[in-house]
Amino acid sequence: IIRARKRWLGTHNRMQGFRQMNKPLSVAVEDASDDDAAQAVRQGLVSYNRAQGEIGYAKVQVIARDEDGAVCGGAIGYAAWGELYIDILWVDERVRGQGIGSRLMVLAEQEAVRLECHRIHLGTMSSQAPLFYPKVGYIQYAFLPGKNGWPDRYHFYKDLPT
């Protein structure tokens, strides 16, 4: 409780200082192609999280390439707080059905274990491959029904050997 209170006070005091800057702020929807702004937000969050203690942040990417070196699939994500989050899993339609997705996930799991992660989690949609993940050992933990014609969303996890 004392540690949580100190953490709250630290955040509260930083916010108070921010409010006392007396500088006008603008908040607006901006062009999503402004990578500098997005990177500043990401870096701000990563810096804040690191200040709370070691989080083990690492980017992870497992890439499948054809014989010419062209990318034909990949698993992209990040590790933090002992978990690997897979943000993107994609396999080119021309090479689907050849076990590439399974191989990408196995290598992502091996990398997660190397990074001392205890779990992998990810999300997908009914228009993608929700039936694939249980086949490779993932457990569904959440379902959000689609609305207004949009696809359903599924969330999966897999505990890793520690």
Side-chain angles (χ1 to χ4, degrees), residues 87-103:
D87 186 37
I88 299 170
L89 176 68
W90 169 75
V91 176
D92 189 300
E93 291 180 36
R94 296 172 295 161
V95 295
R96 288 185 188 157
Q98 299 177 30
I100 304 296
S102 296
R103 289 170 50 197

Side-chain angles (χ1 to χ4, degrees), residues 124-128 130 143-154:
T124 190
M125 294 182 280
S126 56
S127 60
Q128 295 174 338
F143 171 78
L144 296 170
K147 292 180 81 173
N148 302 323
W150 293 103
D152 298 334
R153 293 186 177 269
Y154 300 82

Side-chain angles (χ1 to χ4, degrees), residues 24-160:
L25 296 175
S26 69
V27 178
V29 175
E30 294 189 5
D31 181 356
S33 66
D34 183 356
D35 289 333
D36 291 339
Q39 184 59 31
V41 170
R42 280 188 195 92
Q43 189 55 50
L45 179 60
V46 168
S47 295
Y48 174 82
N49 287 339
R50 285 186 172 144
Q52 307 312 304
E54 179 54 43
I55 63 170
Y57 182 82
K59 292 181 181 179
V60 173
Q61 74 181 33
V62 181
I63 304 297
R65 295 180 183 272
D66 67 16
E67 61 188 19
D68 298 323
V71 173
C72 59
I76 310 293
Y78 65 88
W81 297 288
E83 296 186 346
L84 174 61
Y85 175 71
I86 300 290
D87 186 37
I88 299 170
L89 176 68
W90 169 75
V91 176
D92 189 300
E93 291 180 36
R94 296 172 295 161
V95 295
R96 288 185 188 157
Q98 299 177 30
I100 304 296
S102 296
R103 289 170 50 197
L104 289 166
M105 294 304 289
V106 165
L107 287 174
E109 291 166 16
Q110 290 173 355
E111 180 65 4
V113 168
R114 187 187 74 75
L115 293 170
E116 299 181 357
C117 294
H118 61 272
R119 177 181 299 133
I120 294 181
H121 61 104
L122 56 90
T124 190
M125 294 182 280
S126 56
S127 60
Q128 295 174 338
L131 300 178
F132 166 75
Y133 297 100
K135 291 178 185 176
V136 292
Y138 285 74
I139 298 167
Q140 181 180 325
Y141 70 89
F143 171 78
L144 296 170
K147 292 180 81 173
N148 302 323
W150 293 103
D152 298 334
R153 293 186 177 269
Y154 300 82
H155 297 272
F156 294 92
Y157 77 93
K158 183 176 187 177
D159 287 328
L160 299 171

